[in-house]
Amino acid sequence: MLKILLSHKLRIVLGFVFVQALAVVRAYEDLLFYDPFLNYFRSDFNSLPLPSYDSFLLMMGLLFRYGLNLVLSLGLLYALFRDITMIKFASILYVFFFLVLVSFFYAIIYFYGAHNNLMLFYVRRFLIQPIFVILFIPAFYYQKLNK
C-alpha cells in the first residue's frame, strides 16, 4: 500500500492542492464574489423579503464562482483519474447543470419571490458550492472499476 501511495505522490499533492483551493474560494467568498444572498441566507431568511440585487452583477458573480469551482473541480478530477474523456464528459455535465440551475434560480426569484426561500436556497447552493465534484468522484471511480 505504501509503495502505491509513494508512486502517486504528485497526484496526491495535486489533489490536495485542488481541495485546498476549493476551500480558499469558500473562505474568501465575501471578498471575491457579488452575492447579496450570502448574508440573506445566513440570517433568518424565511421571515425576510429577498434582498435587493443587481441581476446582471449577480449573474456574473454566479458565473465567475461556478467557473472557478468548475476549473478547480476538473483539475481535481484529472489529478485523481488522469482520463481526458472523463474530464470532457464532466465539462459537458457542468455546463448543462449550470444552464439548468441558473434557469431555475431566476425562475424561482421572479415567479415565487420570497415565498419559496428554501428551494432558492438549495438551487443556489448547487450553483455556488462544488457539490458536483463530490458526486462525480465516486461515480467516475465506479465507472473506472467497471472498465
Side-chain angles (χ1 to χ4, degrees):
M1 180 70 171
L2 185 59
K3 287 182 183 180
I4 294 172
L5 287 175
L6 290 176
S7 68
H8 298 292
K9 284 186 286 194
L10 180 62
R11 290 172 69 178
I12 292 169
V13 169
L14 276 175
F16 183 73
V17 166
F18 284 117
V19 169
Q20 289 300 313
L22 288 168
V24 167
V25 168
R26 169 80 172 159
Y28 292 104
E29 65 188 356
D30 290 330
L31 300 173
L32 293 173
F33 312 106
Y34 172 80
D35 192 354
F37 291 97
L38 282 173
N39 291 328
Y40 174 72
F41 284 120
R42 286 183 186 140
S43 63
D44 183 25
F45 60 89
N46 284 324
S47 61
L48 296 174
L50 291 177
S52 61
Y53 62 92
D54 182 341
S55 189
F56 178 75
L57 286 178
L58 180 62
M59 177 63 176
M60 290 298 108
L62 289 173
L63 179 65
F64 177 55
R65 185 163 185 176
Y66 192 86
L68 194 56
N69 285 334
L70 167 101
V71 169
L72 295 173
S73 297
L74 291 178
L76 177 60
L77 290 171
Y78 183 74
L80 293 175
F81 298 108
R82 302 274 179 166
D83 188 353
I84 294 295
T85 56
M86 278 187 189
I87 302 304
K88 289 178 183 177
F89 180 68
S91 301
I92 292 167
L93 285 175
Y94 270 110
V95 170
F96 173 75
F97 287 142
F98 178 75
L99 295 173
V100 169
L101 288 170
V102 163
S103 300
F104 283 162
F105 182 76
Y106 280 106
I108 293 167
I109 288 176
Y110 289 118
F111 294 122
Y112 295 105
H115 301 295
N116 208 339
N117 289 344
L118 209 52
M119 189 170 21
L120 182 65
F121 174 80
Y122 286 115
V123 169
R124 185 182 153 276
R125 183 66 54 204
F126 272 94
L127 281 168
I128 69 169
Q129 300 300 328
I131 295 172
F132 292 123
V133 77
I134 296 169
L135 299 173
F136 289 164
I137 289 172
F140 290 164
Y141 180 72
Y142 182 75
Q143 179 69 26
K144 197 163 186 104
L145 283 179
N146 285 337
K147 271 190 171 179

